[in-house]
Amino acid sequence: MSEDATRTLGKGSQPPGPVPEGLIRIYSMRFCPYSHRTRLVLKAKDIRHEVVNINLRNKPEWYYTKHPFGHIPVLETSQCQLIYESVIACEYLDDAYPGRKLFPYDPYERARQKMLLELFCKVPDLTKECLVALRCGRECTDLKAALRQEFGNLEEILEYQNTTFFGGTCISMIDYLLWPWFERLDVYGILDCVSHTPALRLWISAMKWDPTVCALLMDKSIFQGFLNLYFQNNPNAFDFGLC
Amino acid sequence: MLEESARSLGKGSTPLGLVPEGLICICSMRFCPFAERTRLVLKAEGIRHEVIYTNLKDKPEWFFKKNPFSLMPVLENSQGQLIYESAITCEYLDEAYSGKKLLPDDPYEKACQKMVFELFSKVPSLVGSFLRTQNKEDGAGLKEALCKEFSKLEEVLINKKTTFFGGNSVSMIDYLIWPSFERLEAMKLNECVDHTPELKLWMAAMREDPTVSALLTVVKDWQGFTEVYLQPGGL
């Protein structure tokens, strides 16, 4: 069973107690791409952690003490320190925990990964807008064209570098930061947006072979079930697929 | 140390040659607030550098080759590596050069500085929009939005009980956000800090910092620049 297969906490729930020594807690939601980034890093670095899933349509009052606007993901340490924004959380984990480093050591290579992340920055909103348009029966030709354009930029990088992954020959932080949106292309119904980007398609295949990505890969039918309930405004959407 | 050379390169200029060993080159525009961040860090860390000014509205063709976003600033080192996006350039300089560190070593303290930077993130575009706004109603709305953003920063200082955003001495986060505050007076936006006393104290403390005061642009120079910049076909 996946580590994050727990029911969400909503309004009226009791706040969880302090984080036990030796653990870090992530406030999350099983289907959120931003949380997914941070869960990938937790897994890749083998960091002992506990997951508290939040009902995003019915947030607990106590959750606003963790994040002023109730966003996820948020990390909480056993010293009650809170870290948020997914990229900041990922970088914190890489800095704070020993073992496998996901960001390169070289300052220029680190800067390069951050510049690549900037290049990617329009993708999350565009994929979400496509999903919403499709689900609401609206046409989204322009949105898909814009998304193809963004993917074209990423394709150029891979072609220029002539490497499998965005950071080089091995998987690294930038690949994990981008991955969640590519995992969702199929279930969102926009897989054709990579039809013109062969290097990107190769990268997607290579990512699916990565043990960390594999361990967290979401079952397509469960994701579909979540999306169906979510777009029906069903507050139980976030717990879909749990026993 | 070669610095603040008055070279301003526009269309038709020849591309930069190779950057000499031991030097880093920053491609900048004199009044650009984003480039100022990087120049503050270069100054604070005592990094030998050369400044090449480019014309903002009339960028030389080679500039687009050097930087896909055609934004400023761009750093180029003697290995021909290019770094852009002001916050990325600042972090790169802090990591690549030994000597004074502006970002904390502690992972949590470093994360806190980045969270404050996120909190600040709407300010530059609000200030930019105010600069370009033509009518009074829009201007009033922008001022109100700016006050709201400043309140968030005020809260951080109140909770931390320190003079600066990173503690009791100046650090990276202060330099990253300073350029927007430096311009408030010239843009007649000083009233936006009227209800944020801690932020006002921070601004006064920043003006005392040797690095900040070395790069301070005199108000009338900045006003002169904006008048020309906002004219149709200006600069």
Side-chain angles (χ1 to χ4, degrees):
Chain A
M1 184 165 82
S2 164
E3 274 151 334
D4 77 329
T6 53
R7 305 202 89 79
T8 56
L9 298 182
K11 256 201 186 80
S13 61
Q14 287 302 311
V19 180
E21 194 74 41
L23 276 186
I24 191 163
R25 178 183 294 155
I26 176 174
Y27 295 98
S28 178
M29 193 276 283
R30 289 150 62 221
F31 306 96
C32 168
Y34 296 95
S35 293
H36 192 177
R37 274 176 167 163
T38 316
R39 290 189 299 114
L40 282 165
V41 173
L42 285 164
K43 188 79 185 175
K45 290 181 65 86
D46 217 7
I47 295 168
R48 286 189 61 224
H49 63 284
E50 60 177 36
V51 182
V52 172
N53 287 316
I54 300 294
N55 188 322
L56 299 180
R57 283 252 167 88
N58 195 22
K59 292 175 195 174
E61 303 85 343
W62 56 260
Y63 190 62
Y64 292 92
T65 65
K66 309 295 180 188
H67 189 288
F69 306 120
H71 293 170
I72 52 161
V74 174
L75 289 175
E76 185 171 1
T77 69
S78 53
Q79 294 101 55
C80 305
Q81 296 163 329
L82 296 164
I83 301 113
Y84 45 79
E85 295 305 324
S86 58
V87 179
I88 299 175
C90 292
E91 191 167 353
Y92 166 81
L93 292 173
D94 205 42
D95 288 339
Y97 286 83
R100 182 184 174 193
K101 283 292 166 214
L102 297 175
F103 265 127
Y105 285 105
D106 178 68
Y108 172 68
E109 292 302 326
R110 286 172 75 96
R112 212 160 171 280
Q113 295 215 355
K114 291 173 186 191
M115 290 188 271
L116 276 171
L117 193 61
E118 280 298 314
L119 201 65
F120 170 82
C121 71
K122 290 184 182 156
V123 170
D125 281 348
L126 280 171
T127 54
K128 187 178 178 180
E129 284 171 46
C130 284
L131 170 70
V132 172
L134 287 169
R135 283 272 163 172
C136 298
R138 293 199 303 269
E139 79 105 52
C140 60
T141 328
D142 288 347
L143 287 170
K144 284 175 89 167
L147 194 54
R148 283 201 183 89
Q149 166 92 313
E150 296 304 311
F151 289 166
N153 295 337
L154 296 172
E155 177 78 4
E156 261 186 59
I157 297 287
L158 287 175
E159 278 176 3
Y160 174 77
Q161 285 177 182
N162 204 20
T163 57
T164 313
F165 299 100
F166 282 100
T169 49
C170 302
I171 198 171
S172 61
M173 184 65 87
I174 184 63
D175 303 289
Y176 289 128
L177 292 178
L178 266 47
W179 176 248
W181 286 270
F182 289 92
E183 185 174 318
R184 284 156 178 74
L185 289 180
D186 189 8
V187 78
Y188 283 14
I190 49 174
L191 201 51
D192 58 331
C193 289
V194 288
S195 58
H196 69 312
T197 51
L200 207 50
R201 286 203 306 277
L202 277 172
W203 172 77
I204 292 172
S205 308
M207 289 296 282
K208 286 186 180 164
W209 281 100
D210 177 69
T212 301
V213 166
C214 268
L216 267 49
L217 216 57
M218 185 50 86
D219 180 283
K220 189 175 172 182
S221 55
I222 294 180
F223 212 120
Q224 291 278 22
F226 156 71
L227 287 173
N228 292 338
L229 289 178
Y230 182 81
F231 281 96
Q232 288 161 21
N233 286 316
N234 188 321
N236 298 320
F238 305 107
D239 289 334
F240 184 77
L242 295 176
C243 312
Chain B
M1 177 160 61
L2 291 168
E3 214 193 300
E4 301 301 313
S5 66
R7 276 200 293 163
S8 192
L9 302 178
K11 271 208 172 75
S13 63
T14 52
L16 299 177
L18 288 175
V19 178
E21 190 77 40
L23 206 64
I24 194 160
C25 177
I26 172 173
C27 205
S28 171
M29 194 277 289
R30 191 169 151 216
F31 298 99
C32 172
F34 301 104
E36 190 184 338
R37 285 170 173 166
T38 317
R39 293 190 302 124
L40 284 165
V41 173
L42 285 163
K43 185 91 186 166
E45 301 202 359
I47 297 168
R48 283 188 64 222
H49 64 284
E50 184 182 11
V51 187
I52 304 290
Y53 293 115
T54 62
N55 213 303
L56 189 61
K57 278 192 172 170
D58 184 29
K59 291 168 191 154
E61 303 83 352
W62 55 258
F63 188 74
F64 289 91
K65 279 212 196 77
K66 284 210 179 263
N67 180 345
F69 293 113
S70 74
L71 297 170
M72 277 180 260
V74 181
L75 282 179
E76 182 169 358
N77 63 23
S78 52
Q79 292 107 57
Q81 293 167 333
L82 296 172
I83 303 109
Y84 45 83
E85 288 297 316
S86 58
I88 298 177
T89 61
C90 291
E91 196 163 355
Y92 165 78
L93 291 170
D94 203 52
E95 289 170 2
Y97 288 80
S98 58
K100 184 177 182 187
K101 285 292 163 212
L102 293 173
L103 274 171
D105 280 324
D106 178 69
Y108 174 65
E109 291 303 325
K110 188 174 156 195
C112 282
Q113 295 219 0
K114 295 189 175 194
M115 288 189 273
V116 173
F117 190 58
E118 275 300 311
L119 208 61
F120 162 83
S121 62
K122 292 188 180 148
V123 171
S125 56
L126 283 171
V127 171
S129 299
F130 186 82
L131 181 67
R132 286 182 290 273
T133 196
Q134 301 292 340
N135 76 64
K136 269 190 169 168
E137 273 161 10
D138 285 348
L142 287 167
K143 274 189 187 176
E144 216 186 294
L146 209 48
C147 287
K148 201 172 153 197
E149 297 306 308
F150 289 169
S151 299
K152 295 180 189 171
L153 296 171
E154 178 78 359
E155 249 189 82
V156 173
L157 288 174
I158 290 172
N159 290 337
K160 275 189 85 76
K161 298 184 177 54
T162 55
T163 313
F164 300 99
F165 280 96
N168 284 315
S169 41
V170 190
S171 63
M172 183 66 85
I173 181 63
D174 304 289
Y175 289 133
L176 288 178
I177 72 177
W178 171 250
S180 296
F181 289 92
E182 184 183 329
R183 284 151 179 72
L184 290 186
E185 187 188 338
M187 296 180 59
K188 301 188 175 43
L189 283 171
N190 262 343
E191 64 192 79
C192 293
V193 287
D194 277 348
H195 66 308
T196 50
E198 297 302 314
L199 205 51
K200 251 183 164 164
L201 282 170
W202 170 79
M203 286 174 70
M206 286 300 278
R207 283 179 199 275
E208 300 287 303
D209 177 67
T211 303
V212 166
S213 48
L215 264 52
L216 217 53
T217 302
V218 172
V219 170
K220 66 172 173 62
D221 280 356
W222 171 248
Q223 282 172 335
F225 159 72
T226 53
E227 273 161 35
V228 177
Y229 178 71
L230 290 171
Q231 277 169 23
L235 276 189

